[in-house]
Amino acid sequence: MSGFTLAANAEMLFVDLPFEQRVRCLHEAGFEVEIWDWTTKDLPALAATGARFGSMTGYVRGALVDPDGAAELLRTAEESLAAAAVLDCPRLNVHGTGLDDKGLPVVAHEVVTGADWLAAARTLERLAALGERHGRVFTLENLNTALDHPGVPFGRAEDTLALVAAVDSPHLRLNLDLYHAQIGEGNLVELCARALPHIGEIQVADVPGRCEPGTGEIHYPRVAAALAETGYEGVIAMEAFAVDTPEVALQRFRDAFTTSRR
């Protein structure tokens, strides 16, 4: 059996229930809980559920590259760290730029220059230092630009991996989202092996549809076996909608990631 910690995102499951009740359902089912925008949540009420929170959004606004955007990202990351303390949430997630409520960049940045790379690395170095001071880990997530997030800079897993490796801090890790990577790059088993030293967590959903494992083209049991073979024992988080019921989706997810070899 694998040593993975399994988590699920409360934004995408049990969506007909009040948010606090969604969290309770995931907790009672034995999953670590992940959330997105903490500013819309009653944090003390969520903390009172007794759930273990694994990840939340680590900024409210901002971007990695331009000076004003970087300053805003770092300022709102401070606010996010205070929110994370309420939930005792260890990981705070960031992207190449701020996203609107449809997942689109607030300011599109499709052409990335060498100077942009250097500026992004400097911002992430400061973010990692902030995480170190507060005892938290920021994770940089890859996003696909072909379907869900056009115009986002540093969207590919290759980009996020390069930036995290360049900063090389235990307080800045990679949130390797395999749904986005499959759409943008593919070759998931090899990607996981190369990214392994820098992974803070792995997120999963199937393609197409962004639903639970077993509903699309990705053979997640093989990915699970490959991760187990490399010795990965970290978090696997399902960030997916349910094709049928949330209970069925969670069981399919658990089945895909509780056998070490397939």
Side-chain angles (χ1 to χ4, degrees), residues 49-135:
T49 64
R52 184 170 69 168
F53 292 89
S55 179
M56 58 188 288
T57 300
Y59 69 118
V60 181
R61 293 173 299 278
L64 294 180
V65 173
D66 65 279
D68 289 342
E72 185 69 354
L73 186 148
L74 292 163
R75 187 187 70 77
T76 61
E78 292 261 20
E79 297 175 358
S80 299
L81 285 163
V86 177
L87 300 180
D88 193 22
C89 183
R91 295 181 304 281
L92 293 93
N93 199 50
V94 298
H95 310 106
T97 190
L99 305 176
D100 65 18
D101 58 1
K102 296 181 180 179
L104 299 177
V106 176
V107 178
H109 195 119
E110 297 184 7
V111 178
V112 178
T113 67
D116 291 338
W117 279 94
L118 293 173
R122 287 194 296 269
T123 301
L124 290 168
E125 286 173 353
R126 296 170 65 189
L127 193 65
L130 188 60
E132 183 174 11
R133 290 198 296 273
H134 289 264

Side-chain angles (χ1 to χ4, degrees), residues 15-238:
V15 294
D16 56 332
L17 299 178
F19 199 83
E20 181 183 335
Q21 194 171 345
R22 301 184 204 179
V23 169
R24 290 186 185 278
C25 287
L26 293 176
H27 174 56
E28 290 168 2
F31 293 90
E32 192 173 271
V33 178
E34 299 197 346
I35 66 174
W36 291 338
D37 181 6
W38 57 267
T39 67
T40 63
K41 311 295 192 294
D42 183 340
L43 298 181
L46 295 186
T49 64
R52 184 170 69 168
F53 292 89
S55 179
M56 58 188 288
T57 300
Y59 69 118
V60 181
R61 293 173 299 278
L64 294 180
V65 173
D66 65 279
D68 289 342
E72 185 69 354
L73 186 148
L74 292 163
R75 187 187 70 77
T76 61
E78 292 261 20
E79 297 175 358
S80 299
L81 285 163
V86 177
L87 300 180
D88 193 22
C89 183
R91 295 181 304 281
L92 293 93
N93 199 50
V94 298
H95 310 106
T97 190
L99 305 176
D100 65 18
D101 58 1
K102 296 181 180 179
L104 299 177
V106 176
V107 178
H109 195 119
E110 297 184 7
V111 178
V112 178
T113 67
D116 291 338
W117 279 94
L118 293 173
R122 287 194 296 269
T123 301
L124 290 168
E125 286 173 353
R126 296 170 65 189
L127 193 65
L130 188 60
E132 183 174 11
R133 290 198 296 273
H134 289 264
R136 309 286 175 187
V137 176
F138 285 95
T139 58
L140 182 62
E141 182 184 4
N142 59 295
L143 301 171
N144 81 78
T145 58
L147 180 63
D148 297 293
H149 306 286
V152 171
F154 313 107
R156 300 182 312 145
E158 293 288 349
D159 300 338
T160 53
L161 176 56
L163 285 168
V164 169
V167 174
D168 193 24
S169 165
H171 295 277
L172 179 72
R173 301 280 86 184
L174 178 63
N175 180 353
L176 182 57
D177 190 309
L178 296 184
Y179 162 79
H180 291 305
Q182 175 69 4
I183 292 172
E185 294 149 274
N187 201 14
L188 298 185
V189 168
E190 193 273 338
L191 173 61
C192 288
R194 284 190 296 107
L196 184 66
H198 305 286
I199 291 174
E201 74 165 90
I202 294 171
Q203 290 184 336
V204 301
D206 222 328
V207 178
R210 202 173 187 179
C211 294
E212 72 267 18
T215 59
E217 68 191 24
I218 303 175
H219 185 44
Y220 271 117
R222 178 66 190 96
V223 175
L227 287 168
E229 288 162 5
T230 65
Y232 180 73
E233 294 185 341
V235 174
I236 308 285
M238 186 173 75

